[in-house]
Amino acid sequence: MCVTITSIDIYRFSIPMEPFTIATGTMDHAKNVFIRVHTDAGLYGVGECSAFPMIVGETQDTCLVMAKDFAKLWKGKGALDIEARLQELHSFTAGNTTIKSAFDMALYDIAAKHAGLPLYKFLGGEKREIESDITIGISSPENMAKQAIVFKNNGAKILKVKLGKNAQTDTERINAIRQAVGPDLKIRVDANQGWAFDEAVFALQTIAKHDIEFCEQPMRTWYDDKLPELMQLSPVKIMADESVYNHHDARRQIESGSCDYINIKMAKAGGIHEAKKIHDVAAAHSIPCMMGGMLESRIALSSKLHFVYASPNIKFYDMDTCMLGHLQDPCLGGVTYDGYKLNISDAVGIGADADEGFLERCEKITV
């Protein structure tokens, strides 16, 4: 049966949030894009992406412009031929993985709905217990320690600490946090490319005594050639984030001895289709992965949870994006939280959609 794309709605999906700071900048809105891909089969697929220009190089505005072009490419085409539709986007433009991820998500939503299955079952997965970390943004050591105590008292078991502003102060941040929360909580850190090589060596060797689970992306990607040396000098395991956008990057990082783990994000990979390839390359080399994200709402988070259920090599979960100060929840259905544990119903497809009242206040384009 052919399921034909008839139109696509594109929304400027801005979610106000408390200011959140990482090494590369501060965000006060989740500047997302939401789409609905309509078909002649009486069903539509939803997609959402979160523009993070300081990481991926796309803004909300560039995503909206590219979304219009992508919609024109797809109109009148078959929605169930996922690989062909995505290849059309790749042939049209290199990069632009953030907005591509929303279109990828919508196709998988359609395919799972057409099959009458929740997405994780469509992908061949099964449910398992997923517990997210919770992220502490960059501030003074004292303020970060106070935030860590709040999270501990709320039941958090895993803290992800943003670093990368100043290597010496970063070591003080970790010292203050570990002293505040004690030995039982896991602490992982993310430098967001903030350190030079010598700073990374100093910071990682200094904080290792605090039982650090791993460090994400210690240096800018142009220092990827120095990662094998850093791996030898660091007592803390290294996770590749911005150094891995696709499965070719994953292969290069792994074969060069540049990482212990890989962080998969839909906004980097371009969606589920490529994320699966990264996962499989890493699994073949016994390199565990983490499911990460930008500032997505529970809509995109729901698709990520389905993907995690179908991806046994994802061992770490950084799935707290909509807990980081979103001041509105524009999602209906979708992921639910029990403390820091995630679950989702067996509704068909992704099982999440946007609230119509929220959408009425959003700029809308239909192609």
Side-chain angles (χ1 to χ4, degrees), residues 209 230 349:
K209 63 186 177 184
L230 183 63

Side-chain angles (χ1 to χ4, degrees), residues 201-214:
V201 173
F202 164 76
L204 293 171
Q205 291 182 346
T206 303
I207 67 175
K209 63 186 177 184
H210 295 301
D211 189 21
I212 304 304
E213 190 177 21
F214 56 76

Side-chain angles (χ1 to χ4, degrees), residues 21 100 112 138 144 174 191 253 270 276 315 323-324 338:
T21 301
K100 283 177 179 175
I138 294 177
M144 293 174 74
I174 292 301
Q253 290 292 108
K276 176 69 162 58
K315 308 292 189 182
M323 301 174 75
L324 296 177
D338 177 11

Side-chain angles (χ1 to χ4, degrees), residues 270-281:
I272 292 169
H273 191 72
E274 182 63 30
K276 176 69 162 58
K277 294 181 181 180
I278 298 171
H279 169 274
D280 291 352
V281 166

Side-chain angles (χ1 to χ4, degrees), residues 244-294:
V244 174
Y245 273 62
N246 55 53
H247 71 285
H248 300 294
D249 295 336
R251 173 183 52 79
R252 285 195 294 265
Q253 290 292 108
I254 294 167
E255 292 181 355
S256 62
S258 297
C259 65
D260 297 290
Y261 309 129
I262 289 173
N263 187 359
I264 298 175
K265 294 177 179 173
M266 297 303 177
K268 290 186 303 164
I272 292 169
H273 191 72
E274 182 63 30
K276 176 69 162 58
K277 294 181 181 180
I278 298 171
H279 169 274
D280 291 352
V281 166
H285 291 84
S286 300
I287 297 291
C289 294
M290 180 162 79
M291 187 77 252
M294 300 305 186

